[in-house]
Amino acid sequence: MSSVTTQAAEDDMLMARVAARDADAFRALIEAHAGKAHRIGWRMLGDAVEAEDVAQEAMLKLWEQAGKWQAGGSGVAAWLNRVATNLCLDRLRRRRFSSDQDVPERVDETPLADAQMDADWMRDRAMLAVQALPDRQRAAIVLTYYEDCSNLAAAEILGLNIKAFESLLLRARQALKAGLGDVRAAFAGGAA
């Protein structure tokens, strides 16, 4: 039995206990899965507070839906990936309607070593480029490259067939490439 299958079976047992309102079982699920929901929120929204809200909201939905859980499905991790992604997409849609201003960059005032500054500069450029993508393209990039979901799993999370997802991912990669331009040339030119 693979580790994924073992985890899914363990999660199914925990979900049965959560349906009976066992707080210890819910705590075990939080410890096992809340971090991934938080990472999805951070990478899609670029805000630690909102990412925490997404993780908490996803876990609350898990608690509320425990009585409807069907064992043997794709598992808690896949379910939470989908819920967290959808919560982020909802927040991004609301954000678009509530403000037309860019999200301010967070400046770290702590002095850093040159190597850390270079790494931060590269990571910031990549994050800004990801943030500039349309919502569903951003979700495709986050799920595939940051959360290591297979194309099939990411397609399922976004409610797409595999061909539509791969087309979306290709457009996202092309948009990222265009948005980043030649970062290496800028980096070599001392843009940090």
Side-chain angles (χ1 to χ4, degrees):
M1 189 182 279
S2 75
S3 64
V4 173
T5 307
T6 303
Q7 181 66 49
E10 184 178 318
D11 286 348
D12 285 343
M13 289 188 307
L14 288 171
M15 284 303 293
R17 290 175 47 201
V18 170
R21 296 305 186 227
D22 181 334
D24 290 332
F26 186 58
R27 191 172 301 110
L29 287 170
I30 290 172
E31 290 171 5
H33 300 291
K36 189 164 190 172
H38 185 272
R39 286 191 309 272
I40 290 171
W42 165 246
R43 289 180 175 134
M44 286 191 65
L45 302 171
D47 182 285
V49 173
E50 278 196 284
E52 184 67 29
D53 290 347
V54 164
Q56 288 180 6
E57 197 172 337
M59 296 310 294
L60 178 62
K61 285 183 182 287
L62 186 67
W63 175 263
E64 292 170 346
Q65 299 295 317
K68 299 177 184 175
W69 185 259
Q70 294 181 356
S74 55
V76 171
W79 187 89
L80 279 172
N81 286 347
R82 171 175 251 164
V83 169
T85 300
N86 287 337
L87 288 169
C88 289
L89 291 171
D90 289 345
R91 284 173 180 265
L92 290 167
R93 283 185 205 108
R94 277 182 288 191
R95 188 186 286 174
R96 191 175 4 186
F97 293 115
S98 65
S99 173
D100 59 347
Q101 296 179 352
D102 291 337
V103 176
E105 290 185 6
R106 186 177 132 217
V107 177
D108 185 3
E109 297 176 5
T110 308
L112 300 172
D114 287 349
Q116 184 61 45
M117 288 174 64
D118 293 346
D120 289 346
W121 186 86
M122 293 291 281
R123 186 181 61 248
D124 289 346
R125 293 309 168 270
M127 187 66 170
L128 288 172
V130 170
Q131 293 294 319
L133 291 173
D135 299 346
R136 292 182 68 79
Q137 288 182 12
R138 183 181 319 163
I141 292 292
V142 167
L143 291 171
T144 303
Y145 292 104
Y146 289 99
E147 294 304 321
D148 295 326
C149 290
S150 68
N151 285 2
L152 186 58
E156 188 176 301
I157 289 167
L158 291 173
L160 300 172
N161 67 44
I162 189 69
K163 188 170 183 157
F165 175 78
E166 287 174 348
S167 176
L168 176 69
L169 186 59
L170 176 64
R171 289 190 313 275
R173 285 186 199 133
Q174 290 169 339
L176 267 179
K177 185 176 180 181
L180 283 171
D182 192 359
V183 173
R184 290 188 181 139
F187 185 70

